[in-house]
Amino acid sequence: MSADNCGGNASVPLRNLLNSIQCVRDRVRDGESNESDGAFNLSNFWDTLNQAVKAVSQEATKFSLAFSKPPLPSQQDGEKLAESILKSVLTLSTVYYWLPKSQGVSLRRQVRDATVQVLEGVMQLVEVILSSPLQSLTQEQLTSTGGVWSACDQFAQLPKDNKAAVLVVLSAQSGVVKDAIEEVEQALTESQDPFSDVLDDDQEEDEARDNQDMYWSEKDRRVIGPCQGLMKASAACLRKLMSAVKMHGDVSLPQNVAQLDDLADITKELSPGIDDLALCLYPPMDCSEVDNNLSKLAALLKKALEIIRSSHVCGESDLTWVQFLDGAVDHNLQKARDLIQQDS
């Protein structure tokens, strides 16, 4: 980053601005909310937050235009522009801090991440102006200005309460789990040799096929079956849980808000567990590693089902699928272990 591009002293307020926004960004990313004992009005919070986001977008536009063509702002004008955009950034971060954890950790995380994106977008814009030639508006400056607009526009799509925030988490986790299941199924159906597309070009095909460690044995394939069953049970759990949250999810009571966060947290543990199991299924398969990852995923899914069972989202009709999936976990785990122990 070159300080000369802003013409001597004109760069000083911009560098100070960049440092200030970075400090604000770090506090938002790592800080805690201001918990208050009084009543919190979520609707008023969103109205004020949206106004603050709009102000940042407008100030970023004004700031970018001021540095888009000669003559460049004087040091005094540069200081005024920097003060104005910093004021909008500080207002945004202050309003974010109003949102207490009691409104939901999942909601707060998503609002925090969106706020951080706006702050980082403004930082990038300031960096580009500091480092770009200033004879004309550069494509990089246009792109970074558009980046601030885009980050601000994301606030319109944010979930407005913790129930909606948890549904965002569940939907994302469901997509990750579905992808992992499909990858294993595709590898099983495409070829006897799942690594056929990553062989070296100069490697003889016959020589590659002589390596039995590069594809699955019949026993391997039998073991994979119940592993897939456990992965599919996890996917079904996420789908059913999404429906239950949509139907019964409640944010009017603090304990229900906290239960929704617990559901989000346990489901976020499922996808890494499924990824670990899926990865160890590829040849050469180590049965002890498969058994270990299978046990971990089974324990996670049992824990998730227990948390669901004891939460307010689990109505009487939901108990049926919770119990069914609980039995499916035991069945697939035992079946896989029996197959692993055969001929071992």
Side-chain angles (χ1 to χ4, degrees):
M1 191 187 295
S2 172
D4 298 333
N5 291 328
C6 282
N9 290 336
S11 69
V12 174
L14 298 197
R15 290 195 173 283
N16 292 337
L17 173 64
L18 184 60
N19 290 334
S20 297
I21 297 175
Q22 185 174 348
C23 290
V24 175
R25 188 272 316 266
D26 291 345
R27 285 200 301 271
V28 168
R29 192 174 54 191
D30 304 323
E32 294 295 328
S33 63
N34 300 325
E35 285 288 350
S36 64
D37 295 329
F40 180 80
N41 189 312
L42 193 58
S43 177
N44 286 350
F45 165 78
W46 280 111
D47 288 344
T48 311
L49 185 68
N50 287 329
Q51 289 171 12
V53 171
K54 185 178 179 181
V56 173
S57 182
Q58 291 171 341
E59 289 297 331
T61 304
K62 184 175 24 170
F63 182 80
S64 184
L65 285 171
F67 288 94
S68 64
K69 60 183 179 180
L72 299 176
S74 64
Q75 182 175 0
Q76 186 177 9
D77 288 340
E79 287 173 353
K80 287 180 181 178
L81 285 163
E83 285 173 11
S84 188
I85 196 168
L86 180 58
K87 182 181 177 182
S88 72
V89 160
L90 287 169
T91 300
L92 174 60
S93 66
T94 299
V95 177
Y96 156 72
Y97 273 116
W98 290 353
L99 183 63
K101 279 185 179 178
S102 57
Q103 290 295 316
V105 175
S106 301
L107 177 65
R108 193 169 178 275
R109 281 173 183 157
Q110 290 173 47
V111 177
R112 176 199 65 196
D113 291 348
T115 304
V116 167
Q117 277 194 315
V118 170
L119 298 179
E120 289 182 340
V122 176
M123 284 171 58
Q124 184 183 28
L125 174 60
V126 178
E127 286 175 341
V128 166
I129 289 171
L130 272 166
S131 61
S132 300
L134 289 165
Q135 287 79 16
S136 62
L137 184 64
T138 64
Q139 183 59 47
E140 195 176 1
Q141 187 176 335
L142 280 170
T143 301
S144 57
T145 306
V148 176
W149 295 341
S150 178
C152 291
D153 288 346
Q154 289 304 308
F155 277 75
Q157 276 75 52
L158 285 176
K160 296 303 185 284
D161 61 27
N162 207 47
K163 174 180 174 178
V166 168
L167 285 170
V168 169
V169 173
L170 295 178
S171 179
Q173 293 303 308
S174 186
V176 172
V177 169
K178 183 183 175 187
D179 288 345
I181 291 170
E182 287 177 352
E183 283 175 20
V184 173
E185 288 176 346
Q186 187 176 2
L188 283 165
T189 56
E190 275 186 352
S191 172
Q192 290 292 319
D193 182 355
F195 294 145
S196 59
D197 59 338
V198 293
L199 295 174
D200 293 336
D201 291 338
D202 57 353
Q203 189 172 8
E204 291 293 336
E205 188 171 340
D206 291 341
E207 175 190 338
R209 297 304 183 273
D210 286 339
N211 186 354
Q212 295 294 318
D213 285 343
M214 296 198 67
Y215 52 93
W216 286 293
S217 67
E218 282 305 310
K219 180 189 174 182
D220 289 342
R221 286 175 173 268
R222 288 196 299 272
V223 170
I224 289 171
C227 293
Q228 286 179 290
L230 191 59
M231 292 163 73
K232 288 176 180 177
S234 302
C237 176
L238 286 168
R239 288 196 306 272
K240 292 287 191 180
L241 177 57
M242 282 180 68
S243 297
V245 170
K246 286 177 186 175
M247 183 73 67
H248 306 296
D250 172 69
V251 291
S252 64
L253 299 172
Q255 62 265 35
N256 289 351
V257 171
Q259 284 178 3
L260 289 170
D261 283 327
D262 290 341
L263 291 168
D265 287 343
I266 187 61
T267 53
K268 281 193 284 192
E269 294 182 44
L270 283 176
S271 58
I274 285 175
D275 282 340
D276 289 343
L277 177 57
L279 283 172
C280 75
L281 295 179
Y282 284 88
M285 257 177 61
D286 180 338
C287 283
S288 63
E289 189 180 0
V290 172
D291 189 17
N292 183 40
N293 284 306
L294 193 70
S295 299
K296 286 180 180 177
L297 179 57
L300 279 173
L301 188 49
K302 295 275 263 188
K303 181 180 176 184
L305 290 166
E306 188 52 43
I307 291 173
I308 293 167
R309 193 197 308 266
S310 60
S311 77
H312 72 279
V313 305
C314 185
E316 283 189 28
S317 60
D318 297 297
L319 283 172
T320 304
W321 65 260
V322 170
Q323 290 166 354
F324 174 80
L325 290 177
D326 194 70
V329 174
D330 294 332
H331 170 76
N332 284 293
L333 181 61
Q334 190 58 52
K335 186 177 179 183
R337 284 178 169 168
D338 289 343
L339 289 165
I340 287 170
Q341 288 167 8
Q342 284 178 11
D343 307 321
S344 60

